[in-house]
Each structure stands twice: as C-alpha cells, then as structure tokens.
Amino acid sequence: MKLASYKDGSRDGQLVVVSRDLSTAHYATGIADRLQQVLDDWGFLSPQLQDLYETLNQGKARHAFPFDPAQCMSPLPRAYQWADGSAYINHVELVRLARNAKVPENYYTEPLMYQGGSDDFLGPRDDAQFASEDWGIDFEAEVAVVTGDVPMTSTPEQALEGIRLLMLANDWSLRHLIPDELAKSFGFFQSKPATAFSPVAVTPDEFGDAWQGGKLHLTLQTQWNGRTVGMCDAGQEMTFHFGQLIAHICKTRNVRAGSIVGSGTVSNRAVEKDDNKEWVKGYSCIAEKRAIETILDGKPSTEFMKFGDTVRIEMKGKDGQSVFGAIEQKVAKLAG
C-alpha cells in the first residue's frame, strides 16, 4: 500500500491512497483524513485503505485522479518524533579518518542517533530555504521508517514488528555550523534544519524480498544539479538494521505511533582497483565526498551547495519503476 498527504491549506494535509505505479490517487475521505489517524488505529483503518488501494490498482476506483507529487506534503507533515540514526559505519569511518580521528569501539556495537525537529517537515518538491551559503549546505539521502507503538525494552526483532511504512528522506545538514555545536557536547540543533521526505510512504509488504531483516536492499539514487553522484546500495552495508535502531530508542522509553526513524546517510565502502581505492557507487552527501577527497588528496575540493542548486533522491524497484516518487528540491535564499 502507498499513502501520501496532499496539500489542502492545513498543517496535516489530506490523506490519499496512491496506486502502485504512482499514476493515480484517491482521497481516503470516509476512512481517514490524515495519516496520523491511521497510525493511531492501524489494525482497524489500514485494511480499509488496503481495499481502496487494490481497487485503485485494478482501475476500478470511481473517483481516482492523476497523482501529482508536486501537490504532496511529507507523508507525515509533522510527527511526534523524528530520530535519525547513523546506521552505515562506513560513513562514520570516512568522516573521522579525514580528520585523523579514531572511531570509538562502541560505535560498532551501538548506533549513533540524534533527535531532530519533527514539527515542520518539508514537502518533497518544496524549496529548501537558507539564510546563508556560508553555513555549508549539504543534502543527505536516507531511508526512513514510520512506526506504530513499540513498547519500552523491545528487542530488535520485536521492534521490526512495529514498522508500518517506509520513506526516503533528505536530512539537510549545515556543515559549517556543526563543529561549534558538537564542541558544546550537547548535539545537533541549528545545524539540522527541516527534513524532507518522499512523496509517498510505502508498507513493507510492497517490497517483497527486497525488504529483509530490517534492511531495504535497493539502490538509492542521488543527483546533484542533474548529475548522478550516488548509486548506493541501501541494504548490504547497513551496520544496524531498523529493528536495532528502534530498539535503541526503546531502551529507556516507549516509541509511539507516528514516530519516524532514519537510517542516516546511506554509504558504501570503496573497492580496490589496481592497488587504489575507488568509491564506485558514489556518495549520498557532500561531506562524504569531501572526506574521500581529503583521504586521497590531503584536502577537499568539492564545495557545498549554492543557491539555485538542485538535488533529486529516488529509489527504483527491481522492475525499474520508482517506488516512493522522487524528492526534488532546490536550494533557495530565505526571503527577507
């Protein structure tokens, strides 16, 4: 099942069911108005939406209309929680190696995680507005899940049962603001502006064997100013699967329906070619590209994003069709 939230002038949008091929949609009016309603009563409402989804895919929905990603807000335009992990240890290793810092041993046994702002997400086609290019504007292509209720002390296996939906994320970062914040030993805040999510959220059953063990084994594609810079495998090198990420939160608290948990920047290791390392699958954020340049050349040469730059993040299924629709955003100067 695929779900989206259409812009309607409200904070939470209007829930729509979207066909598997992303060609048509149907308002969920009569079942639920907003996605959070469905997450709060998943057992009762999701089967009704599934029936509508099947009718839509069969071309029998009477009031279907062409699906337009430009009309989409984030599937959850605001959420009770947005917790972003760093599940790809290769990303951590690269960034730390570039500054001659050792990766602490517990990073390999316990995931990193920060709690981001969840009251104001960007839509998949909304401009990302910033006051200054000097802040070091960077995209981060990720996979994310939306949960139901997951009780405190849940195991990773139990936590997997609480996953309701999957999405893509662009977790914007302001790299030049990060060092001063981390130096205060209190984590990210101003350096993590509003995150954008894919046009549609998708139930795990839609992925077949591509969804295994809490990992999504598909390629995450990233384009910067129209040029492909990343074709990263989201599953193979994920150090901590989504069950482990959710269980990490559950160590001391309950996770409630409508929480979003991110994977962190999807990252793949280099391959050895002629005694040299090459990152043939590219990168999912500029910071990683700059880290690679520093390791190879002693200094970074790639600049961060400028006003007018664009980024596109998408994932295609084994049939070659877009699964979530694409995040397509332009970096813009904040008006005024």
Side-chain angles (χ1 to χ4, degrees):
M1 181 166 59
K2 300 190 177 186
L3 304 172
S5 293
Y6 256 34
K7 299 175 180 178
D8 66 351
S10 72
R11 290 182 184 270
D12 298 301
Q14 183 71 36
L15 181 64
V16 298
V17 178
V18 184
S19 64
R20 182 172 287 112
D21 63 2
L22 306 183
S23 65
T24 58
H26 195 290
Y27 284 110
T29 310
I31 301 173
D33 296 322
R34 298 179 299 280
L35 180 54
Q36 184 61 49
Q37 290 176 268
V38 181
L39 294 165
D40 286 336
D41 197 6
W42 186 261
F44 179 67
L45 295 177
S46 66
Q48 299 177 56
L49 293 173
Q50 182 69 35
D51 289 342
L52 176 56
Y53 178 65
E54 292 172 3
T55 302
L56 184 63
N57 287 325
Q58 294 165 4
K60 298 179 180 179
R62 293 180 57 192
H63 302 292
F65 53 87
F67 176 61
D68 182 4
Q71 297 302 314
C72 289
M73 307 172 77
S74 165
L76 270 178
R78 51 181 175 169
Y80 287 113
Q81 178 168 222
W82 161 229
D84 196 21
S86 187
Y88 298 85
I89 196 66
N90 180 66
H91 174 72
V92 180
E93 290 173 338
L94 284 172
V95 172
R96 284 187 162 254
L97 181 59
R99 62 174 193 261
N100 295 315
K102 185 179 179 181
V103 179
E105 287 300 319
N106 65 340
Y107 280 33
Y108 294 92
T109 58
E110 188 174 12
L112 292 168
M113 187 168 285
Y114 83 93
Q115 194 148 26
S118 60
D119 57 331
D120 182 33
F121 294 135
L122 297 175
R125 302 296 167 88
D126 293 348
D127 287 350
Q129 299 186 60
F130 305 103
S132 174
E133 292 178 343
D134 296 336
W135 288 346
I137 303 166
D138 195 359
F139 56 82
E140 286 194 60
E142 306 185 10
V143 180
V145 298
V146 184
T147 76
D149 288 331
V150 185
M152 193 187 325
T153 72
S154 290
T155 67
E157 292 71 26
Q158 292 168 333
L160 284 177
E161 296 300 316
I163 294 174
R164 300 288 181 254
L165 299 161
L166 283 81
M167 305 184 292
L168 301 182
N170 184 8
D171 178 42
W172 289 100
S173 289
L174 302 174
R175 299 295 182 183
H176 292 159
L177 300 186
I178 288 176
D180 285 347
E181 288 199 318
L182 294 186
K184 297 175 182 177
S185 300
F186 222 56
F188 302 117
F189 198 81
Q190 292 177 332
S191 55
K192 285 294 188 178
T195 301
F197 293 93
S198 52
V200 302
V202 182
T203 51
D205 60 288
E206 289 288 317
F207 297 100
D209 61 5
W211 173 249
Q212 291 185 24
K215 301 179 182 182
L216 187 54
H217 294 268
L218 293 172
T219 299
L220 185 61
Q221 305 179 19
T222 306
Q223 293 181 330
W224 178 12
N225 291 334
R227 183 172 68 90
T228 298
V229 296
M231 293 288 289
C232 295
D233 185 333
Q236 185 176 0
E237 296 175 37
M238 190 178 190
T239 310
F240 302 101
H241 64 67
F242 277 108
Q244 291 170 299
L245 295 177
I246 298 168
H248 180 76
I249 306 173
C250 289
K251 180 175 180 177
T252 60
R253 65 182 82 172
N254 297 311
V255 172
R256 293 307 186 191
S259 293
I260 304 175
V261 180
S263 68
T265 304
V266 176
S267 180
N268 292 160
R269 295 185 181 278
V271 297
E272 297 286 345
K273 280 195 169 184
D274 301 324
D275 296 325
N276 293 314
K277 286 188 174 182
E278 292 187 18
W279 282 265
V280 295
K281 295 184 179 179
Y283 53 92
S284 299
C285 71
I286 301 171
E288 186 165 305
K289 172 64 170 173
R290 287 167 59 87
I292 293 168
E293 291 167 346
T294 301
I295 294 166
L296 295 178
D297 306 323
K299 62 180 181 179
S301 55
T302 300
E303 295 184 349
F304 289 112
M305 300 183 81
K306 305 297 184 184
F307 296 139
D309 280 8
T310 61
V311 62
R312 177 186 173 95
I313 299 168
E314 189 175 23
M315 182 175 277
K316 294 182 178 181
K318 295 181 178 180
D319 59 359
Q321 299 299 308
S322 182
V323 180
F324 302 93
I327 299 172
E328 297 184 50
Q329 295 186 276
K330 181 174 71 174
V331 174
K333 184 173 178 58
L334 183 66

